[in-house]
Amino acid sequence: MAGWVDPIADQIRSVHVTQVPGRRERNRQDKLDRITAAAGELFAEHGVDEVTTQQIAERADIGAGTLFLYAKTKGELLLLVQNAKYDEALAQGRRAAEATDDVLDAVLALVTPIVACNRVQVSNGRTYLREMAFGDPGEPHHARALAISGMTEQAIAAILIDRCGLDDARAAMLAHVVSAVVFVTMVSHVDPETSVASVVESIRAQLGAVLPR
């Protein structure tokens, strides 16, 4: 029938249109991907302290001014690169923790992938933790790093509630203590030759003194 519009087909077309990003958004994402790749490669090759923002801009094939639209400091660039890796480490830890009923073993299973992620490049790992603790919380990559830290504490609290029967308030407080132990232990092991297993054993010894059994 002339002039008749199928409302279902119209809805499908509308949804499809809204899901396709425009040229400006595609260009922005392309630049972000190039910046993330360039920064990640250079940080892995040389360490964050030995890399300049100009080098990152040149490898990403963008201007230095454009780079600062995506991250204002080198520390923010490191957070941009590392946040996705810490996200995945937390996801791995959650899965591993589900496989054990012992509270200490479950917490260690949760944090071990995070420790491993932090020690892929030790100087970068220490800088990441420093930026997370002292960076500008108004910057989006810093805010994301804090969110990952918060989700880690929530996962620890959930273990304490499930394995030990703690109430929400006590579990949250103890999870904050556990998080502090993990943070300080990762920061304090500065020797790149120290293994992930050694760092985790240090965390185990400390948490064994504070976690209910």
Side-chain angles (χ1 to χ4, degrees):
M1 182 183 298
W4 182 77
V5 177
D6 183 341
I8 296 178
D10 192 50
Q11 283 183 341
I12 292 173
R13 283 193 295 270
S14 176
V15 170
H16 178 70
V17 169
T18 58
Q19 289 179 340
V20 177
R23 179 179 297 178
R24 179 178 296 179
E25 180 57 32
R26 292 197 304 272
N27 288 341
R28 185 184 188 283
Q29 186 61 50
D30 175 66
K31 288 177 183 176
L32 179 62
D33 291 343
R34 280 155 44 201
I35 290 167
T36 304
E41 291 166 2
L42 288 166
F43 291 158
E45 292 168 11
H46 307 290
V48 64
D49 293 336
E50 302 303 319
V51 175
T52 67
T53 53
Q54 183 61 41
Q55 288 174 313
I56 295 169
E58 289 174 357
R59 183 167 293 197
D61 194 25
I62 61 171
T66 300
L67 176 66
F68 291 125
L69 295 176
Y70 293 82
K72 293 181 179 178
T73 66
K74 193 165 59 172
E76 278 288 309
L77 284 167
L78 180 64
L79 294 175
L80 167 65
V81 169
Q82 294 289 79
N83 280 341
K85 298 177 182 180
Y86 279 80
D87 254 331
E88 177 56 30
L90 176 57
Q92 292 176 13
R94 287 181 188 273
R95 293 191 293 268
E98 292 174 356
T100 179
D101 293 327
D102 180 80
V103 61
L104 179 56
D105 288 342
V107 170
L108 290 172
L110 176 72
V111 303
T112 294
I114 296 171
V115 174
C117 179
N118 184 257
R119 295 194 70 76
V120 169
Q121 218 282 7
V122 172
S123 64
N124 290 350
R126 285 166 57 83
T127 302
Y128 178 87
L129 296 179
R130 184 186 69 210
E131 288 294 325
M132 184 180 70
F134 303 111
D136 181 357
E139 293 296 329
H141 309 309
H142 180 268
R144 181 58 191 162
L146 289 180
I148 295 169
S149 178
M151 289 188 293
T152 304
E153 285 196 21
Q154 291 170 7
I156 295 169
I159 291 172
L160 296 172
I161 292 169
D162 181 62
R163 307 300 198 280
C164 303
L166 300 185
D167 60 63
D168 290 355
R170 188 179 176 203
M173 179 182 66
L174 191 51
H176 192 62
V177 172
V178 171
S179 180
V181 168
V182 174
F183 184 96
V184 172
T185 304
M186 288 193 296
V187 168
S188 63
H189 283 79
V190 298
D191 185 353
E193 299 303 316
T194 302
S195 67
V196 171
S198 295
V199 177
V200 172
E201 279 305 306
S202 178
I203 293 171
R204 175 187 288 276
Q206 295 172 78
L207 295 187
V210 298
L211 290 181
R213 301 304 295 272

